[in-house]
Amino acid sequence: MKKDLTLSSLLLFFACSAGFSQTPDSTAMKFAPVITAEDAKKHLSVLASDEYEGRETGKEGQKKAAKYIADDFKKIGLVSATDETYLQKFPLVLSTPAGADLVIGGKKYENNKDFYVLPYGKPLTMEAKRILFLGYGISDAKYDDYKNTDVKDKVLLVIGGEPISEDSVSFISGKKELSDWTNSYRKKSDLAKEKGAAALIVINENFAGNLELMKHFLASPSLKLEPDTSKEKTVGPVPAEKDQKKKLPQVGISVKTANEIIAPENLDALIKKIRSTKQSVSFEIKSSFELAVSSKEDKIYSENVLGIIKGTEHPEEVVFITAHYDHLGVRDGKVFNGADDDGSGTVGVMEIANAFEKAKETGSAPKRTLVFMTVAGEEKGLLGSSYYTNNPIFPIEKTVCDLNIDMIGRTDDHYKDTVDYVYIIGSDKISTELHKINEHANSTYTHLKLDYKYNDPNDPNRFYFRSDHYNFAKKGVPIIFYFNGTHEDYHQETDEVSKINFDILAKRAQLVFYTAWEVANRKDRIVTDVVQEKEKK
Ligand SMILES: [Zn+2]
């Protein structure tokens, strides 16, 4: 609620001084229609075809997509921001899981058969002389396993889920519906980490089923930037992301394995005891614990694609229009084409670039420089944009804003009856002027419903932190994130070109075009004026 106070007073002020002309800009209106559904479809039908293999960062399909975009930038007349390739190359470390050893009380268990370890990023070895059985590993008003127990540096063994009564009523929720202690896979490990535990072993009643579900995930390599800049401090006046805690090593085991570890105790008996007394049960197990996780590391490269149109009056001031062109690749032989995520944003950027270039060719070049950048590594943790903002080609101080497009070709469940909407996220967080410009562009030209539902950084979906604009915001650059919301095909192999609504894609891209047009051509550079209180940890 702190945001509203600051903002409403600022909005009042700017309502009188934003300085928009009353008449629509006829030049902008002449070139916005260069952005067409047909053109967008032509490009997307290539980029989101099986031939591009789901454009996974570092893989062949991604490089092919980079080439396609770079060739198009060149063809339409954009100038490269780097060399003749239009690419900004960046180094990554690819870590491939190479096995894990678990020995408890002298008995060796087999990885991905008797146990699994949740990805911990780095290789790891740890040892402990004892294991602490700690009930369900829950700390709640109605039931608390941590009460009067010091878990610091200990390896905890806990039962998955939460305690329930004979008639299936949760001790925590007081209803049949289970709480987040069951539903969130992170809640217990976050708490254990917070309490200073060294590792968490979770007893999994449906161990075999879960192992099957996670098979792909457990074998997946992870990517990070080299050097890793993801922990970079926020410098801009921007809501700071809550500290993403380093994850605790978490081992999943079956009931059978658990019974071997806790013998002569027995899990069923312990659950019954907790059920009848409504009290936690905890005890020390005099078994040693050894865990070793290894991975193979390779250095690879990926690429951002950049094309520019130089400004005529303030060429040093740059306006970014971005989208990520990478997606999830191929899994179990299925190509994840990512037509909406974020093929739609990628072709949106290409179309907007084309419209500005056509305007330039007929004597209406922008006053400020426009940078069209499609980035890779987004799906792996916003890596391409993190690399760019930490290795900028144009000074960050001269970067006017980033208009980022991530998914604009579909509609979500909320908008079943109307497609003429777009979610706007972050527009008011750094520059009130930018927010007003976007609203004015929409009310003058595109007439979409601008939905601010996800604009709150505290929204549980955390969309504000989940696409590439965030790396610009972290540096204090004003941003807008254009988004259609998630849908049933989000991050599924069914995110296909056939499901894209190209008319609405083009219309949303036109809104970005009009906003960019105003930002690039107005007399004065937009100012940064909103200073946010840092989010509480
Ligand atoms: Zn995605």
Side-chain angles (χ1 to χ4, degrees), residues 264-484:
E265 297 280 357
N266 166 280
L267 192 65
D268 256 353
L270 293 171
I271 290 173
K272 279 191 186 120
K273 194 170 170 189
I274 293 171
R275 188 174 276 174
S276 63
T277 62
K278 295 200 185 270
Q279 297 292 318
S280 172
V281 171
S282 107
F283 55 90
E284 217 171 49
I285 303 161
K286 294 185 177 61
S287 290
S288 61
F289 169 91
E290 294 160 55
L291 176 66
V293 180
S294 55
S295 68
K296 183 176 150 300
E297 308 219 315
D298 296 295
K299 188 166 180 173
I300 63 164
Y301 289 88
S302 187
E303 294 83 15
N304 296 327
V305 190
L306 293 99
I308 66 169
I309 297 175
K310 208 160 182 199
T312 51
E313 283 179 28
H314 311 284
E316 73 290 355
E317 293 178 7
V318 291
V319 174
F320 269 76
I321 299 167
T322 57
H324 74 89
Y325 70 96
D326 67 302
H327 193 56
L328 304 174
V330 182
R331 295 179 177 179
D332 295 329
K334 293 168 193 147
V335 185
F336 285 59
N337 281 318
D340 190 29
D341 183 11
D342 181 25
S344 63
T346 302
V347 302
V349 171
M350 293 164 78
E351 287 295 293
I352 296 164
N354 193 26
F356 272 107
E357 184 62 35
K358 290 286 175 308
K360 185 194 109 181
E361 283 161 14
T362 46
S364 300
K367 294 194 173 108
R368 295 183 177 79
T369 294
L370 288 161
V371 183
F372 302 93
M373 177 165 81
T374 63
V375 300
E378 195 272 355
E379 302 286 9
K380 309 288 185 187
L382 317 184
L383 302 181
S385 54
S386 175
Y387 183 82
Y388 177 82
T389 51
N390 286 299
N391 302 272
I393 293 168
F394 306 93
I396 291 290
E397 318 80 71
K398 297 288 183 190
T399 303
V400 177
C401 69
D402 172 40
L403 307 180
N404 183 48
I405 314 171
D406 194 350
M407 299 168 62
I408 54 162
R410 297 282 298 268
T411 52
D412 69 1
D413 284 346
H414 186 73
Y415 286 94
K416 281 214 161 69
D417 306 321
T418 168
V419 298
D420 287 340
Y421 77 95
V422 63
Y423 293 109
I424 300 293
I425 300 172
S427 61
D428 60 359
K429 296 288 176 281
I430 302 174
S431 167
T432 319
E433 263 179 299
L434 182 60
H435 176 76
K436 295 296 286 180
I437 288 167
N438 189 58
E439 291 218 315
H440 186 259
N442 185 58
S443 62
T444 311
Y445 308 106
T446 43
H447 312 294
L448 296 163
K449 176 178 162 45
L450 304 184
D451 190 328
Y452 294 98
K453 180 161 89 183
Y454 298 124
N455 189 37
D456 183 354
N458 294 318
D459 178 89
N461 292 291
R462 305 173 53 259
F463 288 129
Y464 181 75
F465 306 105
R466 285 173 55 185
S467 189
D468 297 297
H469 57 275
Y470 182 58
N471 282 318
F472 284 86
K474 270 167 110 174
K475 302 282 184 195
V477 175
I479 60 100
I480 302 179
F481 170 23
Y482 299 86
F483 177 50
N484 55 219

Side-chain angles (χ1 to χ4, degrees), residues 73-80 86 307-309 353-354 357 372:
F73 280 0
K74 189 173 182 180
K75 195 181 110 200
I76 64 179
L78 299 189
V79 173
S80 173
Y86 288 69
I308 66 169
I309 297 175
N354 193 26
E357 184 62 35
F372 302 93

Side-chain angles (χ1 to χ4, degrees), residues 3-18 427-429 431-437 439 452 529-530:
K3 166 193 74 186
D4 292 347
L5 244 182
T6 337
L7 206 65
S8 50
S9 42
L10 281 165
L11 287 179
L12 256 177
F13 171 69
F14 275 99
C16 325
S17 65
S427 61
D428 60 359
K429 296 288 176 281
S431 167
T432 319
E433 263 179 299
L434 182 60
H435 176 76
K436 295 296 286 180
I437 288 167
E439 291 218 315
Y452 294 98
D529 56 355
V530 182

Side-chain angles (χ1 to χ4, degrees), residues 132-140 142-149 151 157-159 163 171-172 269-283:
L132 179 67
F133 180 87
L134 192 69
Y136 285 86
I138 288 173
S139 180
D140 207 272
K142 297 193 185 98
Y143 174 87
D144 194 350
D145 291 305
Y146 283 83
K147 202 160 79 188
N148 310 323
T149 310
V151 303
L157 172 63
V158 304
I159 311 167
F171 283 21
I172 314 289
L270 293 171
I271 290 173
K272 279 191 186 120
K273 194 170 170 189
I274 293 171
R275 188 174 276 174
S276 63
T277 62
K278 295 200 185 270
Q279 297 292 318
S280 172
V281 171
S282 107
F283 55 90

